Amino acid sequence: MRRTALLACATLLAGLLPLASARAAVADDPAPVPVDRFEGEVPFAGPPAEGLFTWGSDTDDPPALALAARDDAPEGDKVLSGTYDISGYGGFSHEFASAEPPRDWSAHRGVRFWWHGENNGRKIAFEIKDGGADGGSSELWTTSFTDDFTGWKRIELPFTDFAYRTDHQPVGGIDHVLGLTAMWGYAVTLPAGAEGAFAMDGVELYGRADPSLRAFVTTGSAVYPVDEGGTASVEVTVGTTGSAPLADPVTVAYETAGGTADAGRDYTPVRGEVAFPAGTASGTSRTLRVPTLKDRSAETAETIPLRLTVTGARAPAETPQVVVDAHGLPYLDGRLPVKRRVADLLARMSLEEKAGQMTQAERGALTAPGDIAAYDLGSLLSGGGSAPTPNTPEAWARMIDSFQLRTRATRLQIPLIYGVDAVHGHNNVAGATIMPHNIGLGATRDPRLAQETAAVTAAEVRATGIPWDFAPCLCVARDDRWGRTYESFGEDPALVDAMATVVQGLQGRADGRDLDRADKVLATAKHFVGDGGTAYGSSTTGTYTIDQGVTRVTRQELEAVHLAPYRTAVDRGVGTVMPSFSSLDLIGDGRGPVKMHARADMLDGVLKDRMGFDGFVISDWQAIDQLPGDYASDVRTSVNAGLDMIMVPYAYRDFRTTLVDEVRAGRIDERRIDDAVSRILTQKFRLGLFERPYADTAGAARIGSAAHRAVAREAAAESQVLLKNAGGALPLKKHQKVYVAGSNADDIGNQSGGWTITWQGSSGDVTPGTTVLEAMREHSPDLTYSEDASAPTRGHDVGVVVVGETPYAEGAGDVGNGHDLELSAADRAAVDKVCAAMTCAVLVVSGRPQLIGDRLGAIDALVASWLPGTEGDGVADVLYGRRPFTGQLPVTWPKSEAQLPINVGDSSYDPQFPYGWGLTTLTKVPRGGAATLKALGVAASAAERAGAEETGRALVTKARLIVQHKAADRITEAVAKPFADADRLLLTGRYGAAVQKLTQAYRAA
């Protein structure tokens, strides 16, 4: 009965049509071809399989989809229904299987479907995927419809309505022709900004293609820069949907007119017409040439629009512009000091241009690529997971070069500075070298190696055309329940301070002279200040429990714990600083919790004035939206607090307009604007972007290379912390028959963690690399692997159970937000079964300590593997004794969650394993007891006085090994507290005092 009304309407409509027309339609139109009936024939699945899948700019933005039974379904029994609440962008796709041939839609007029209208006036974008090797490598063509009706309505979208997407193309274009002969599916982009619901049914191809409506004209680019006196060549191409030859002739009349250049003085005017006769092959091009003239005067850039009038086809989406490059001005002279170039350029800028330089947008949120020039944007970024398709170094470079090309159409041609979160290698790019996360680097206690990992990251990032990295995170993680614990080098500011060598790995020398190298990037010290100290339960962001919460400390605690690493980073010349989302509550200042993005006392007062930071401050993602007040207040407060560039991923137009209005109203002093823009321009000049704005891909062949992976392998090996090794269970022997189990033994996504390819990361084969299991097979070819330990255990000498966490990032990983510190039930069962059957080693792959509890007694060897990245060979190197275990705990390993937060220096300190703990292999433990420790203490004090750092560290390490050997499984509070204190003293160069603390721990053991 549910279709009765629809059928009645259709019958009535048919009765009103002339009989001849109805018969012609039946005779001429092919039968509709179903694409989606939503009856369950197409599963919810992602590429490379065929299926429906959702996507969005963050974890909250993908819609919720379901196949729902409805009595009013226009077709069949079910419809696709969904709800959404999108802040950035989000939608869903139906993509065809990559392993199957693409589909041919060229015989049809268009695509249509039923849509249940909410009459909300919102625009819904509909996109089709044309050509290429698969759905991820196709061209995107788009159109839209408006939800301005109520109830079911059939939406018909002729293929002639679809336009080539100029704001984003996964591959930068294949042939700019809507061929329709190799189709990979469709996507629906839902409206952002308010909650909504939708229902959809019966997607199908309809009608017969009309050859007379299928022609279109494109140009090779929208912007054609040329040196003064040079000739621009503009390529004009004719194409057809379906790629058939032209059915009718097409003419393109062209004329130079308008723009900022003067005809006759700056260029020779041109006009004329090119013809594409009927029968011309689709994809045929003609070249139009626009000569420019030299007038021997220094000038800013000048534009020459080339207006095209197309007959017989659709015209290009944009009018191409020839641009005579700026020339002869002081700021363009690379021989001049940076300070003078900045002053000259700043003096030429309008307020609107200055505001544009302070604006950073997300590349996927650009309404149109022309907005880069229209709003004088200073920066773009890729948020976590915001990548071109295919996700290759070449596609990244092409994409960023296409954005950079748009800046050439601006008057001053100030290049963009593009930024990414490359927090453990170039982690956005599939195939890049993925390093251990910072917590693992902290475990290495090796500042030299940390610097080398950062140098590899910088080289791979810059080779894709990106000059700016939102790293390192210099937070001091004080509560392991925090979802960002693994982004910290550790819980002790002295350790974080020591690992700040990564700034030099990224940037080179502290004076910035290396920034223009093709293997260096601008670094970002984040998140200033105190984001590692937020109290559990203090977050007000969604379901987060600790991230973006409140750090409540005395001024002395702030200085000693949280500010210390930033002082070092500033001394090392870090180019940018990013404030924290969190709030700072300084005890005694009477202000209560204040968002860091509003704290002028910290940004201007401490960072810029007291520390002498001369780079620029970049906000975090939409962070000013968290400030109290309206949007104008958010802009005013943050800029006056000392923010120089604002990350407004989706609100770039509103931000720029509001900033200009606030300055003109006198609520922001233009001197504050000038200071901000001067800081931004300084770094752009240092990076060499004015001379070389486009990607230097000479180093792209080294991305994921053997040499780079060797560095990651070394870091993975040094990051492994041996917590227990009863009976010398490790290293494994070649003759042993090994049984491997656990959820993280064979999962590259799990061992890489969050911020890997996508923001949250994911399990599975997300990027090329070597899992722990694959690396172990190189040493034990006949080992047995059973993830859940269901395979028989009999006959094996030793078991290795690799357990731990699945990926997460930021507050999504907070304990209490769907996470805890317990092993999963499956992992616990695997540990219990294997360790009951044989000698066993348990490896914990995680971003923070996991609670082992009463299982510790049954485990012979326990390893904190952290998140080692793509190079599982590094883990195998220490398991099989190719390298010794040398890692030390960068955070305290608790006995229970009730102990948290627990940190070195606490008055009450009784952990499972103390900060700094880490057994070794392949090295004999030094002999001796209290007398030996006393002698070591005397020698360590002498080394300290002499400034003999290497000797002092070696003496303390010797004492530490003696204590660990004696304490073994008897780690009491009396042992743990002085032991942990000793490592903190070691990091601050107090070698004699460190040995004294270790002696105290020895006596307690």
Side-chain angles (χ1 to χ4, degrees), residues 763-784:
S763 301
D765 294 331
V766 298
T767 191
T770 304
T771 67
V772 174
L773 175 68
E774 290 167 341
M776 291 182 68
R777 287 194 192 278
E778 294 296 314
H779 300 266
S780 299
D782 62 344
L783 63 73
T784 299

Side-chain angles (χ1 to χ4, degrees), residues 500-800:
T501 52
V502 294
V503 172
Q504 259 61 67
L506 294 169
Q507 291 194 170
R509 286 171 287 187
D511 61 5
R513 73 177 76 176
D514 295 330
L515 282 172
D516 63 350
R517 283 173 35 178
D519 63 348
K520 293 300 174 189
V521 295
L522 197 67
T524 307
K526 65 182 189 183
H527 301 90
F528 186 87
V529 60
D531 61 335
T534 50
Y536 188 82
S538 67
S539 180
T540 56
T541 300
T543 56
Y544 295 3
T545 58
I546 188 168
D547 190 37
Q548 304 186 20
V550 178
T551 297
R552 191 168 192 268
V553 289
T554 64
R555 190 169 293 277
Q556 183 179 11
E557 290 171 327
L558 181 71
E559 295 279 348
V561 176
H562 298 290
L563 274 173
Y566 293 96
R567 283 194 295 269
T568 300
V570 170
D571 291 342
R572 289 183 173 277
V574 72
T576 62
V577 169
M578 181 182 291
S580 173
F581 277 117
S582 62
S583 299
L584 178 63
D585 185 359
L586 274 178
I587 297 172
D589 75 350
R591 299 178 65 185
V594 179
K595 285 284 185 181
M596 274 305 308
H597 282 70
R599 291 212 69 131
D601 59 328
M602 301 304 300
L603 298 176
D604 268 342
V606 172
L607 178 63
K608 291 181 177 179
D609 293 343
R610 199 183 83 193
M611 292 185 181
F613 173 63
D614 64 357
F616 69 88
V617 178
I618 170 70
S619 87
D620 210 331
W621 181 275
Q622 290 181 302
I624 68 168
D625 293 352
Q626 296 188 9
L627 301 181
D630 59 18
Y631 194 66
S633 172
D634 295 345
V635 172
R636 179 171 65 251
T637 299
S638 58
V639 173
N640 284 334
L643 267 71
D644 302 308
M645 182 182 286
I646 317 296
M647 190 185 293
V648 279
Y650 312 108
Y652 59 93
R653 290 169 294 180
D654 290 342
F655 169 77
R656 179 178 177 270
T657 300
T658 303
L659 179 57
V660 169
D661 290 345
E662 288 296 295
V663 175
R664 289 202 168 126
R667 291 184 285 268
I668 299 175
D669 194 314
E670 192 161 359
R671 288 174 298 182
R672 169 78 270 273
I673 303 300
D674 287 350
D675 172 62
V677 177
S678 295
R679 290 169 176 270
I680 295 165
L681 295 177
T682 296
Q683 300 302 344
K684 290 187 176 185
F685 280 120
R686 287 176 173 173
L687 285 162
L689 295 177
F690 281 82
E691 287 72 39
R692 294 176 300 282
Y694 301 114
D696 181 347
T697 58
R702 298 167 57 205
I703 296 174
S705 66
H708 285 183
R709 290 182 183 275
V711 175
R713 179 174 181 167
E714 181 183 1
E718 287 196 24
S719 71
Q720 303 299 294
V721 181
L722 184 57
L723 299 173
K724 179 182 179 181
N725 196 26
L730 293 177
L732 302 174
K733 282 61 170 191
K734 289 184 179 180
H735 66 271
Q736 290 175 312
K737 190 169 183 182
V738 182
Y739 186 100
V740 181
S743 62
N744 285 349
D746 194 29
D747 195 305
I748 202 76
N750 287 358
Q751 77 183 42
S752 298
W755 289 108
T756 306
I757 308 303
T758 58
W759 173 41
Q760 291 292 315
S762 60
S763 301
D765 294 331
V766 298
T767 191
T770 304
T771 67
V772 174
L773 175 68
E774 290 167 341
M776 291 182 68
R777 287 194 192 278
E778 294 296 314
H779 300 266
S780 299
D782 62 344
L783 63 73
T784 299
Y785 170 59
S786 176
E787 179 178 336
D788 61 357
S790 60
T793 57
R794 192 170 181 177
H796 295 86
D797 300 307
V798 62
V800 177

Side-chain angles (χ1 to χ4, degrees), residues 20 51 80 107 146 148 171 283 418 492 645 649 691 695 764 799 812 875 930 972 1005:
L80 180 70
T146 302
D148 55 3
V171 294
Y418 200 99
D492 180 13
M645 182 182 286
E691 287 72 39
V875 180
T972 64

Side-chain angles (χ1 to χ4, degrees), residues 53 111 158 165 203 225 322 356 358 380 540 547 573 607 635 683:
F53 62 94
V111 60
R165 276 192 66 173
V203 183
V322 174
M358 296 174 66
L380 293 178
T540 56
D547 190 37
L607 178 63
V635 172
Q683 300 302 344

Side-chain angles (χ1 to χ4, degrees), residues 61-74:
D61 282 352
L65 298 184
L67 297 178
R70 286 179 60 146
D71 287 343
D72 65 345

Side-chain angles (χ1 to χ4, degrees), residues 468-484:
W468 185 14
D469 187 2
F470 303 135
C473 186
L474 296 180
C475 52
V476 182
R478 305 292 285 176
D479 192 327
D480 296 336
R481 292 170 291 189
W482 188 32
R484 302 190 86 141

Side-chain angles (χ1 to χ4, degrees), residues 426-475:
H426 198 358
N427 45 257
N428 289 287
V429 179
T433 308
I434 305 299
M435 301 292 174
H437 269 293
N438 284 353
I439 195 167
L441 294 180
T444 71
R445 296 297 200 282
D446 190 341
R448 175 206 60 81
L449 181 57
Q451 181 172 338
E452 196 172 350
T453 65
V456 168
T457 298
E460 296 199 359
V461 169
R462 195 69 184 256
T464 57
I466 300 169
W468 185 14
D469 187 2
F470 303 135
C473 186
L474 296 180
C475 52

